[in-house]
Amino acid sequence: MKFYKYHALGNDYLVLAPEDLSCPLTPELIKVICHRNFGIGADGILLGPFPSQTAQFGLRIYNPDGSEAEKSGNGLRIFSRYLWDKKLVGEQPFSIQTLGGLVQSVVKDAGKTVQVEMGKVSFWSDEIPIVGDRREVIQEEIHCGDRTFSFCAATIGNPHCVISLPEITPAIAKKYGQLLEVHPFFPNRTNVQFMKVLNRNSIQIEIWERGAGYTLASGSSSSAAAAVAHKLGLCDSSIIVQMPGGLISIEINDDFMISMRGSVTKVAKGEMSAELFDN
Ligand SMILES: N[C@H](CCC[C@H](N)C(=O)O)C(=O)O
């Protein structure tokens, strides 16, 4: 089975075309394919393009634990570059339908940069979802292991728990991210970002992704964390998000519509051996 591997700031995905699937893409198969030792290795799988009634292209996004994600910012940049490489799109913007909503994408700089209109960030509990009365989830308390954090929750199609701290480290993300991902407040689990506000136009985040664990970068996490920093009045509407894998540029409009811009790197094109599917 053919695959194409790309990374976006070290957040790596495999692109599989539906017509190239030699068997159903089950959660078990996704886990094997994405496994860093027993498979190809990736932070997720992008399956597409599909025909769509609502957009030029349909896309399905899977985490390495086999779960399906509503949206992936880095995944959307990678899929947009793949469509460009395949000459299915040119320099003009195009639309992609995901489980978490419709986005507009445009490929720039000879494929090296992609800008995605990611949709709107919402802080409303029933949209995230998060348990409790309907409210915007801003600076609430959450108990996690030996700590209690003040957090904000947001959705941009997928759920996010954003915690602002004076200092952040990968160790904090790994220790507390895995507990917060499955916290009972979040019926569909959640992505987690620990955020350090650097100034009015830049933040630094450490990420624990739902269904993927610690990753070096995340486009939807960048969008959610930047939106929270702006909502809290800590940042203006143009924000550079610094992550271990690199930088993403976020623009926020008055309705919390997010424009995300970042790089994409083509890694490989390959063929998976049939042995990979022998269970
Ligand atoms: N793990 C995420 C999807 C991928 C998000 C991340 N890779 C990005 O670039 O947005 C979720 O289950 O919502």
Side-chain angles (χ1 to χ4, degrees), residues 11 13 63 69-75 158 191 209-210 218-221:
N11 190 210
Y13 279 85
N63 290 312
E70 304 86 346
K71 198 167 280 184
S72 169
N74 286 335
N158 59 347
N191 298 281
E209 279 195 36
R210 177 181 64 171
S218 166
S220 59
S221 295

Side-chain angles (χ1 to χ4, degrees), residues 1-7 12-17 19-20 40-42 44-46 48 78 81-83 85-86 265-272:
M1 183 161 55
K2 257 192 295 189
F3 71 90
Y4 298 80
K5 184 164 188 180
Y6 295 79
H7 78 79
D12 57 341
Y13 279 85
L14 306 179
V15 182
L16 304 182
E19 63 270 20
D20 289 338
I40 307 291
I45 287 177
L46 306 168
I78 286 171
R81 166 66 192 274
Y82 168 81
L83 294 173
D85 286 339
K86 290 291 182 185
T265 304
K266 188 170 186 178
V267 174
K269 170 184 175 182
E271 186 80 33
M272 289 182 227

Side-chain angles (χ1 to χ4, degrees), residues 31-107:
K31 287 178 195 170
V32 168
I33 292 172
C34 292
H35 196 287
R36 298 282 179 195
N37 305 101
F38 297 109
I40 307 291
D43 284 340
I45 287 177
L46 306 168
L47 182 62
F50 289 100
S52 167
Q53 304 293 323
T54 51
Q56 288 162 271
F57 304 98
L59 171 66
R60 299 191 71 168
I61 303 161
Y62 298 95
N63 290 312
D65 73 346
S67 62
E68 185 164 7
E70 304 86 346
K71 198 167 280 184
S72 169
N74 286 335
L76 280 161
R77 292 208 313 285
I78 286 171
F79 186 62
S80 300
R81 166 66 192 274
Y82 168 81
L83 294 173
W84 188 84
D85 286 339
K86 290 291 182 185
K87 302 197 184 326
L88 295 172
V89 299
E91 312 299 321
Q92 293 307 309
F94 52 94
S95 56
I96 302 171
Q97 184 66 57
T98 68
L99 209 53
L102 186 75
V103 303
Q104 298 289 334
S105 200
V106 62
V107 177

